[in-house]
């Protein structure tokens, strides 16, 4: 029982919740960029947390179903159709053997998650199925999906047709405030540099990928050029000599030598990765205590979001 | 010792300012202590030249608690001797065909190619950090006479197994990649193999020696000249 990839789209990657405990081999985390949409996809399908789904960037994916199952598409609004009939996002749908599943291109936002009941059955490498193309690790032979790939899934007898009420669905806007925990070399940035960073709007540049999001805006200068290479945490804000900050994401390299201002809050990073070039971002400093509270609230919300059942 | 906030669930511990043996030994000792002290609450850590990034489980512990716990644990003299690390010998085929920067490096240092090879091979190197790519180990330190800056323009393609020098660091490229280090030879041993356990023959803290081998030995050990 599997789905066959008939068209891979711009960039489609198998992802679970990411790879932990392998930094010492030089392996990065990988995992879904929009962890909230990924998490909700599995919740809607009643899958164990972190089950393997497809992260679709921009859109264009087409699959052929070889056995009956249920699917769900969450995240950026990409039109979903089964045999040319449009289906709602954030909703579990029955699909049958021979059905063609098409995910069109996003109207707003960048990444969507296509999950299947029970999750795709992919052998983990280094404890995770997360695909990191740069490292050639995870997914199917460490590569992005390509035409002809076969994605197996388990046989399940039943799955409720749950959906996320429209009022609860995230909206994908063109601006965002990213909360930042000051840390690392923050003391080497003077007050003016910090005021500039937290005061002025930045624009998402064209040069963004799963390693990092480069921002454009007022240059912030650091008293030092570089540091002895050290570990980079998720969301770290690195400032190269040109003064244009880079927010480091799931596929970042584990160590680096540019000075860092601190790190962006993970829930905000999830939203950031839904922005396209030209979107406006403001940065706001927060304490570790406030960060912890915000993360707890957001985790609780994801767990408690009311899902409804469709009766057709 | 300095323990600072890095991110929402991470701290960074600084144990020195320079890349040297003594600092590396302190990093190794601290890694053992952190693992012992935090146990399950530790998600991952990244030891490097003079620092350790510590990622912890925010569900069970917060920054303040980790800071207090670690300050206390790291202040105590280590009961367990910091693992001295293992000694690993890697064969290297030093030659003009595998080390295209050998001659410029020799000219720069007013040495012969043979002397450069001898200086590179007759030193024990500490594994200071692993990163950049899976299995890429930063080794130090090379004899100051053969230290050389990175190329002005990095090469598009550095063959897998290439042994290279940048400043006083040396490394083996575990897979083909772009790179700007000066190439002196090639190692036939796989430095990262996902199918093997462990995937890497070396770890931070180990000591690495390079042993010159002939072209024939290189090929018989599975080396690739492509």
């Amino acid at each position: 029982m599997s789905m066959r990839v008939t068209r891979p789209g711009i960039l489609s990657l198998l992802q679970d919740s990411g790879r932990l405990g392998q930094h010492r081999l030089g392996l990065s985390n990988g995992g879904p960029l929009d962890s909230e949409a990924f998490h909700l996809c599995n919740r809607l399908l009643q899958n164990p947390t972190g089950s393997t789904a497809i992260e679709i960037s921009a859109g264009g994916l087409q699959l052929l179903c070889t056995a009956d199952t249920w699917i769900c598409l969450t995240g950026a609004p990409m039109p979903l159709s089964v045999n040319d009939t449009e289906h709602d996002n954030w909703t579990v749908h029955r699909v049958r053997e021979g059905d063609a599943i098409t995910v069109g291109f996003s109207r707003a936002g960048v990444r969507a998650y296509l999950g299947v009941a029970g999750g795709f059955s992919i052998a983990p490498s280094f404890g995770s199925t997360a695909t990191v193309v740069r490292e050639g690790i995870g997914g199917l032979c460490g590569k992005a999906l390509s035409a002809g790939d076969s994605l197996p899934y388990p046989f399940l007898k039943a799955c409720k047709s749950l959906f996320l009420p429209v009022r609860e669905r995230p909206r994908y806007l063109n601006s965002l405030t990213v909360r930042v925990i000051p840390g690392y070399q923050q003391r080497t940035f003077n007050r003016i540099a910090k005021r500039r960073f937290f005061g002025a709007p930045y624009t998402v540049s064209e040069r963004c990928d799963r390693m990092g999001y480069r921002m454009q805006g007022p240059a912030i200068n650091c008293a030092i050029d570089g540091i002895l290479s050290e570990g980079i945490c998720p969301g770290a804000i690195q400032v190269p000599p040109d003064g244009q900050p880079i927010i480091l994401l799931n596929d970042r390299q584990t160590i680096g030598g540019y000075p860092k201002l601190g790190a962006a809050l993970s829930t905000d990073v999830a939203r950031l990765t839904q922005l396209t070039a030209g979107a406006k971002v403001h940065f706001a400093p927060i304490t570790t205590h406030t960060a912890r509270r915000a993360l707890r609230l957001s985790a609780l919300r994801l767990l408690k979001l009311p899902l409804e059942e469709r009766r057709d | 010792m300095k323990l600072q906030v890095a991110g929402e669930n991470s701290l960074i511990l600084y144990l020195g300012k320079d890349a040297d043996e003594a600092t590396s030994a302190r990093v190794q000792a601290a890694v053992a202590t952190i693992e012992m002290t935090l146990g399950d609450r530790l998600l991952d850590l990244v030891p490097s030249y003079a620092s350790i990034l510590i990622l912890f489980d925010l569900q069970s512990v917060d920054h303040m608690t980790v800071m207090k716990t670690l300050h206390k644990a790291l202040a105590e003299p280590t009961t367990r001797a910091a693992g001295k690390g293992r000694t690993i010998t890697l064969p290297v085929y030093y030659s003009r065909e595998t080390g295209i920067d050998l001659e410029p490096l020799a000219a720069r240092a007013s040495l012969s190619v043979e002397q450069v090879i001898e200086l590179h091979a007759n030193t024990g190197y500490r594994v200071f950090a692993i990163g950049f790519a899976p299995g890429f180990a930063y080794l130090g330190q090379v004899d100051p006479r053969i230290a050389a800056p990175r190329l002005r323009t990095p090469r598009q393609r550095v063959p897998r197994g290439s042994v290279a020098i940048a400043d006083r660091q040396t490394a083996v490229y575990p897979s083909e990649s772009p790179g700007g280090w000066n190439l002196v030879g090639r190692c036939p041993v796989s430095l990262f193999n996902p199918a093997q356990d462990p995937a890497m023959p070396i770890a931070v803290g180990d000591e690495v020696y390079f042993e010159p081998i002939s072209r024939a030995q290189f090929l018989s050990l599975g080396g690739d000249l492509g």
Side-chain angles (χ1 to χ4, degrees):
Chain A
M1 292 195 294
S2 65
M3 286 195 194
R4 211 175 68 229
V5 178
T6 41
R7 232 175 38 211
I10 307 285
L11 178 67
S12 301
L13 301 168
L14 289 164
Q15 295 291 351
D16 64 4
S17 48
R19 200 165 274 112
L20 278 175
Q22 304 294 347
H23 281 341
R24 262 181 282 180
L25 296 178
L27 299 180
S28 56
N29 296 124
L33 287 182
D34 186 344
S35 48
E36 295 192 24
F38 169 81
H39 182 90
L40 285 172
C41 182
N42 278 322
R43 236 198 100 196
L44 283 158
L45 286 160
Q46 302 120 68
N47 287 344
T49 311
S51 296
T52 304
I54 306 171
E55 178 180 275
I56 308 165
S57 292
L61 176 71
Q62 200 171 59
L63 303 166
L64 183 75
C65 232
T66 66
D68 299 3
T69 186
W70 291 264
I71 58 162
C72 181
L73 184 70
T74 63
M78 298 181 190
L80 168 70
S81 55
V82 177
N83 302 332
D84 298 326
T85 311
E86 250 201 75
H87 283 55
D88 207 4
N89 292 13
W90 302 96
T91 307
V92 172
H93 302 287
R94 183 80 168 130
V95 288
R96 307 268 179 198
E97 182 188 341
D99 281 354
I101 301 163
T102 307
V103 179
F105 289 90
S106 173
R107 294 180 295 262
V110 186
R111 323 204 191 245
Y113 295 87
L114 183 83
V116 65
F120 290 104
S121 318
I122 306 294
S125 40
F126 298 97
S128 160
T129 63
T131 316
V132 180
V133 175
R134 187 172 53 85
E135 296 175 345
I137 303 280
L140 302 176
C141 303
K143 291 194 174 82
L145 294 185
S146 62
D149 281 349
S150 176
L151 312 174
Y153 49 85
F155 169 76
L156 290 184
K157 266 197 198 140
C159 180
K160 282 186 216 159
S161 287
L162 297 180
F163 68 92
L164 184 67
V166 173
R167 62 173 188 281
E168 302 287 359
R169 297 180 192 177
R171 282 176 303 156
Y172 297 91
L173 306 171
N174 225 9
S175 66
L176 178 71
T177 297
V178 171
R179 288 163 286 182
V180 173
I181 299 144
Y184 280 118
Q185 290 78 33
Q186 56 137 334
R187 288 191 189 90
T188 58
F189 294 87
N190 66 27
R191 204 181 307 163
I192 297 167
K194 276 192 250 187
R195 195 179 299 162
R196 203 176 277 168
F197 179 71
F198 289 116
Y202 281 82
T203 308
V204 174
S205 89
E206 301 272 351
R207 291 162 69 208
C208 290
D209 56 25
R210 285 186 47 95
M211 258 182 106
Y213 255 50
R214 287 161 193 272
M215 312 300 297
Q216 274 171 339
I220 40 173
N221 302 311
C222 182
I224 49 171
D225 280 344
I227 47 164
L228 215 48
S229 287
E230 63 181 24
I232 305 173
C233 73
I237 302 172
Q238 173 176 288
V239 184
D242 67 3
Q244 304 293 311
I246 306 170
I247 322 255
L248 293 164
L249 304 176
N250 308 39
D251 292 5
R252 73 193 176 284
Q253 60 187 76
T254 52
I255 66 172
Y258 287 123
K260 297 170 286 301
L261 242 171
L265 195 69
S266 53
T267 49
D268 295 346
V269 171
R271 296 214 163 77
L272 174 78
T273 62
Q274 290 287 7
L275 298 180
T276 45
K280 288 271 178 290
V281 175
H282 277 93
F283 294 100
I286 52 163
T287 63
T288 52
H289 184 71
T290 316
R292 189 165 192 235
R293 216 168 39 203
L295 289 170
R296 276 213 170 145
L297 278 176
S298 140
L300 204 65
R301 186 180 157 271
L302 278 186
L303 213 67
K304 302 278 177 202
L305 259 184
L307 305 182
E308 290 173 21
E309 192 173 350
R310 209 180 45 189
R311 314 254 169 223
D312 6 52
Chain B
M1 188 184 93
K2 216 167 59 179
L3 193 55
Q4 282 180 207
V5 170
E8 68 189 28
N9 68 340
S10 53
L11 292 165
I12 186 156
L13 174 68
Y14 294 104
L15 293 153
K17 283 195 157 44
D18 302 301
D20 55 48
E21 286 271 337
T23 311
S24 179
R26 279 205 295 280
V27 168
Q28 286 327 296
V31 163
T33 307
I34 293 165
E35 283 176 333
M36 223 149 48
T37 313
L38 293 183
D40 284 353
R41 296 170 293 177
L42 183 68
L43 288 185
D44 210 340
L45 47 76
V46 187
S48 191
Y49 293 96
S51 66
I52 305 168
L53 177 73
I54 303 156
L55 296 141
F56 52 86
D57 182 8
L58 206 54
Q59 305 272 356
S60 55
V61 74
D62 62 8
H63 286 81
M64 280 304 286
T65 315
V66 177
M67 273 199 178
K68 268 192 222 153
T69 315
L70 288 184
H71 265 301
K72 192 159 165 274
L74 293 163
E76 284 166 16
T78 34
T79 44
R80 193 157 58 128
K84 242 311 298 109
R86 297 158 305 160
T87 302
I88 285 121
T89 303
L90 296 174
V92 179
Y93 170 39
Y94 294 96
S95 69
R96 286 167 177 84
E97 67 176 325
T98 54
I100 49 175
D101 298 315
L102 267 176
E103 273 177 30
L105 212 67
R108 211 186 123 87
S110 308
L111 295 168
S112 70
V113 163
E114 289 65 34
Q115 284 171 313
V116 171
I117 295 170
E118 206 182 308
L119 283 173
H120 188 261
N122 281 352
T123 312
Y125 299 102
R126 184 71 59 193
V127 182
F128 284 132
I130 289 167
F132 171 68
F136 190 97
Y138 293 85
L139 311 172
Q141 313 211 54
V142 302
D143 188 286
R145 281 170 285 176
I146 56 167
R150 289 167 176 76
L151 307 181
R152 289 184 74 91
T153 312
R155 293 191 172 94
Q156 295 274 1
R157 179 186 166 268
V158 173
R160 168 193 151 97
S162 291
V163 179
I165 294 174
D167 304 319
R168 291 197 61 194
Q169 308 178 101
T170 182
V172 182
Y173 281 82
S175 55
E176 182 183 311
S177 78
W181 291 31
N182 303 277
L183 310 185
V184 296
R186 207 173 294 176
C187 171
V189 175
S190 168
L191 275 214
F192 183 76
N193 184 352
Q196 254 169 37
D197 188 30
M200 266 192 87
I202 54 177
V204 173
D206 288 351
E207 195 172 19
V208 173
Y209 284 89
F210 293 117
E211 188 187 15
I213 54 168
S214 68
R215 192 175 197 270
Q217 283 170 313
F218 175 76
L219 292 173
S220 74
L221 289 168
D224 183 5
L225 288 169

